[in-house]
């Protein structure tokens, strides 16, 4: 299986064929002229026919002209298509580059935000640890204060008894009798 011919190959073959047709057309025209000159009556009433009577030569020349015009148009179309393709590739490259930059920027932003989030998480954990420590202190103080307030009356009564006994002891030591102090 062979690849189909390219446009330029087809065009080249068509031009070769056109030159062959041109050579054949020239020979046919010479032949027509020779035949016209030999078959002409000797009278002066002969008038040369118009181009419509050329026949095969005219058809071949029209065919050559058509092939050349189509080749020229095909060249122009190919150049326009190539230009459009190059512009599309340029635009595509610019779009890819801008999207790549945008992706890189987003990844950079995301990495920064993840780092900030990790830092905040660590700070939050440290703060939570500090709060737990302070909460433990508060609980300890609360239990100590509760114990003091629960036994306040007993301690107040015991303190009054100690103060009274110290007063009596002092009075005894100063020489007073126990009964007088009472």
């Amino acid at each position: 299986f062979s690849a189909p011919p390219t446009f330029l190959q087809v065009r080249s073959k068509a031009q070769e064929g056109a030159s062959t047709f041109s050579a054949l057309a020239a020979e046919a025209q010479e032949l027509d002229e020779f035949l016209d000159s030999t078959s002409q009556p000797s009278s002066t009433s002969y008038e040369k026919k118009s181009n419509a009577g050329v026949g095969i030569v005219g058809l071949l020349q029209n065919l050559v002209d058509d092939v050349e015009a189509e080749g020229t148009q095909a060249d122009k179309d190919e150049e326009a298509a190539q230009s459009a393709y190059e512009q599309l590739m340029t635009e595509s490259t610019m779009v890819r580059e801008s999207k790549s930059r945008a992706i890189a920027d987003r990844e950079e932003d995301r990495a920064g935000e993840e780092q900030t989030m990790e830092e905040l998480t660590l700070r939050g954990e440290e703060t939570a640890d500090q709060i737990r420590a302070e909460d433990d202190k508060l609980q300890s103080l609360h239990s100590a204060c509760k114990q003091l307030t629960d036994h306040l009356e007993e301690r107040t009564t015991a303190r009054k008894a100690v103060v009274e006994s110290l007063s009596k002891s002092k009075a005894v030591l100063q020489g007073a009798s126990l009964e007088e102090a009472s």
Side-chain angles (χ1 to χ4, degrees):
F1 180 74
S2 64
T6 64
F7 170 75
L8 294 176
Q9 291 170 338
V10 170
R11 180 176 172 217
S12 172
K13 294 230 185 236
Q15 286 176 340
E16 287 174 13
S19 65
T20 304
F21 283 132
S22 295
L24 289 174
E27 287 179 24
Q29 188 172 8
E30 287 175 12
L31 183 61
D32 283 345
E33 288 175 5
F34 174 74
L35 291 175
D36 285 344
S37 67
T38 59
S39 65
Q40 284 183 2
S42 58
S43 71
T44 58
S45 66
Y46 175 77
E47 292 181 22
K48 189 174 181 181
K49 295 182 179 180
S50 66
N51 286 340
V54 175
I56 293 176
V57 175
L59 290 176
L60 291 176
Q61 188 60 41
N62 287 342
L63 183 62
V64 168
D65 292 342
D66 288 346
V67 168
E68 288 177 358
E70 287 176 7
T72 303
Q73 184 62 37
D75 285 344
K76 289 179 183 177
D77 291 346
E78 186 176 356
E79 287 176 12
Q82 182 66 29
S83 174
Y85 173 77
E86 289 172 358
Q87 184 172 355
L88 175 68
M89 288 296 109
T90 302
E91 290 172 359
S92 296
T93 301
M94 291 188 315
V95 167
R96 273 193 308 274
E97 288 174 358
S98 69
K99 287 184 179 184
S100 294
R101 280 190 300 254
I103 288 171
D105 290 345
R106 286 185 197 134
E107 287 176 353
E108 187 178 308
D109 291 345
R110 181 178 177 201
E113 289 174 3
E114 285 177 356
Q115 184 177 1
T116 302
M117 189 171 146
E118 287 178 20
E119 291 172 0
L120 291 174
T121 302
L122 289 175
R123 276 197 231 157
E125 290 173 359
E126 290 173 359
T127 303
D129 290 343
Q130 288 175 350
I131 289 173
R132 278 192 287 277
E134 292 296 322
D135 202 25
D136 289 345
K137 278 185 191 178
L138 184 62
Q139 288 293 337
S140 151
L141 284 173
H142 181 68
S143 63
C145 288
K146 181 155 178 68
Q147 186 179 4
L148 287 175
T149 56
D150 286 347
H151 301 294
L152 180 65
E153 200 170 301
E154 294 172 12
R155 289 184 64 185
T156 305
T157 305
R159 177 74 58 172
K160 283 184 186 179
V162 169
V163 170
E164 191 175 311
S165 93
L166 285 176
S167 297
K168 285 182 185 179
S169 298
K170 185 180 172 184
V172 167
L173 287 176
Q174 287 179 350
S177 73
L178 243 149
E179 294 168 6
E180 291 177 20
S182 302

